[in-house]
């Protein structure tokens, strides 16, 4: 297949999506004859810098391919690591195109606006003679088991809390709530406080509180989170940015606390279960939630929002309704992927059903060994194999922990089996470096909220 003048050779394609062009394969072919150096650096909080050194062709004939390639690299760095300023050193025409794309009203207006808000700094793209040097701080957090702790896990449909004494959970509860449809931040605050108090009733004292929550958190503050989707901006700034800090200190006073993205806590729980580090956790549910624990067992502070990272170079790839971009992970590794592929499999889903209910219909068919449903999971397995190689290029991880509703039941088993086959057959050089894991009994015992309880250190 050919894309923007670049021939891309792919051995395994999803049976229900033959137009799929693995972005990693496109990168490989693009770089074969690219000779002109082009460097990208993305600056985030505290002067941290992510640097990516690469090449472009620099010819008129492949100008569009150059622009597409650098756009995808910038997009990936922004959503993998985060940042408010992009430095570019290289081809002037490509730099000018990126300045236009990543601007107010540009094709990447969503990314421009989102990153500026998250980092509370105007977003900009600047051309320089040489990009700054790499600078990054990983943070040792979690695995603290001493004392009487509370772990709170805020999900989009339920909230979980655990009371933990010296690493052992003595109480846990799960309560259904509706944070995504409530505009009053007091609803969220009251729910958090109620959970904290419920756990505290089962402890002789509270020494520390850890929070696992979907969204972007910097210095324990909520910078962006779908849980508070309906809260007006003025109320978000006034009551949501410090909502977990207020809830904890109002309830328990001056105790150690930590608020961390739920994907990172999943990866931490996986690392604790595997008794190893360098773990990428991917939860396929409402979206693609991702976390990473590095070689030292630390949380990096990166965004790890791979739902917005592109994986498909096909110009006909499905659009993400929120960002307006195409080919991004959310449409390949979530319930959206199952729903997207159902018509191609010949499965009609009732449009009145919620996305979660549509997924359940397909899961039910899979439990009955319906071959149409099997094709859906086989297709996602192919997506995953190609994308794990791309992710490995970015992270260099050793373990991948696969979680979420899409991975449950027979469908998840077939997805994993297909993924392993494609990795072994098409990516033999990387296959041996990737260890796929599903949650085991030990992981389930640790649990998300119990792992969250281990986040803060108790200073004695």
């Amino acid at each position: 297949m050919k894309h923007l003048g670049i021939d891309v050779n792919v051995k395994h394609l999803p049976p229900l999506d033959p137009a799929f062009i693995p972005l990693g394969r496109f990168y490989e072919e693009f770089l074969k004859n690219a000779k002109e150096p082009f460097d990208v650096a993305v600056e985030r909080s505290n002067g941290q810098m992510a640097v990516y050194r690469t090449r472009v062709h620099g010819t008129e004939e492949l100008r569009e391919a150059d622009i597409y390639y650098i756009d995808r690299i910038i997009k990936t760095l922004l959503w993998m690591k985060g940042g408010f300023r992009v430095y570019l050193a290289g081809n002037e025409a490509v730099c000018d195109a990126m300045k236009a794309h990543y601007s107010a009203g540009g094709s990447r207006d969503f990314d421009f606006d989102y990153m500026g808000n998250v980092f509370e700094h105007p977003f900009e793209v600047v051309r320089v003679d040489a990009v700054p040097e790499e600078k990054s701080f990983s943070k040792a957090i979690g695995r603290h088991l001493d004392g009487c702790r509370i772990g709170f896990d805020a999900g989009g449909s339920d909230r979980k809390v655990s009371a933990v004494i010296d690493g052992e959970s003595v109480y846990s509860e799960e309560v259904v709530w509706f944070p995504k449809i409530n505009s009053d931040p007091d609803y969220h605050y009251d729910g958090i406080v109620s959970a904290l108090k419920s756990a505290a009733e089962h402890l002789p004292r509270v020494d520390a509180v850890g929070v696992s929550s979907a969204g972007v958190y910097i210095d324990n503050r909520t910078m962006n989170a779908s849980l508070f989707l309906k809260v007006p901006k003025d109320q978000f700034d006034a009551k949501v940015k410090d909502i977990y800090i207020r809830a904890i200190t109002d309830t328990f006073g001056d105790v150690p606390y930590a608020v961390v993205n739920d994907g990172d806590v999943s990866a931490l729980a996986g690392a604790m279960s595997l008794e190893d580090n360098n773990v990428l956790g991917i939860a396929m549910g409402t979206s693609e939630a991702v976390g990473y624990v590095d070689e030292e067992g630390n949380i990096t502070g990166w965004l790890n929002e791979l739902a917005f990272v592109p994986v498909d170079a096909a110009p006909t790839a499905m659009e993400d309704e929120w960002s307006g971009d195409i080919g991004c992970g959310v449409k390949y590794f979530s319930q959206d992927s199952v729903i997207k592929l159902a018509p191609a499999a010949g499965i009609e889903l009732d449009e009145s059903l919620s996305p979660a209910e549509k997924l359940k219909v397909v899961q039910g068919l899979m439990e009955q060994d319906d071959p149409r449903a099997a094709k859906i999971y086989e297709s996602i397995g192919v997506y995953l194999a190609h994308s794990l190689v791309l992710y490995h290029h970015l992270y260099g991880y050793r373990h991948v922990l696969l979680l979420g509703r899409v991975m449950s039941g027979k469908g998840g088993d077939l997805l994993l089996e297909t993924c392993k086959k494609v990795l072994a057959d098409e990516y033999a050089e990387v296959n041996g470096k990737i260890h796929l894991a599903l949650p085991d009994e030990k992981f389930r015992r640790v649990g998300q909220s119990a792992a969250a309880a281990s986040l803060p250190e108790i200073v004695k």
Side-chain angles (χ1 to χ4, degrees), residues 43 83-85 112-113 115-124:
E43 182 178 355
F84 58 86
R85 183 179 291 120
F112 171 89
D113 185 62
M115 294 295 164
N117 285 329
V118 162
F119 290 95
E120 298 180 313
H121 193 290
F123 188 92
E124 59 181 333

Side-chain angles (χ1 to χ4, degrees), residues 363-391:
Q363 288 175 323
L365 293 172
M366 190 64 210
E367 292 303 312
Q368 299 168 23
D369 298 316
D370 189 305
R372 300 172 301 166
K375 289 295 180 187
I376 292 175
Y377 287 98
E378 287 172 6
S379 294
I380 299 175
V382 176
Y383 288 151
L384 183 61
H386 290 296
S387 300
L388 284 180
V389 176
L390 175 61
Y391 294 166

Side-chain angles (χ1 to χ4, degrees), residues 312-329:
D312 185 0
T316 55
M318 195 171 186
E319 179 181 307
D320 165 39
E321 300 86 351
W322 193 14
S323 71
D325 203 352
I326 65 171
C328 296

Side-chain angles (χ1 to χ4, degrees), residues 13-24:
L13 290 170
L16 298 178
D17 187 6
F20 174 69
I21 303 176
L23 191 59

Side-chain angles (χ1 to χ4, degrees), residues 38-42 50-54 70 73-74 77 86-89 131-132:
F38 197 105
D39 297 338
V40 180
V42 176
V51 177
Y52 194 92
R53 303 186 187 278
T54 186
I70 295 299
I73 294 298
I74 293 173
L77 289 176
V86 178
Y87 298 90
L88 303 176
V131 302

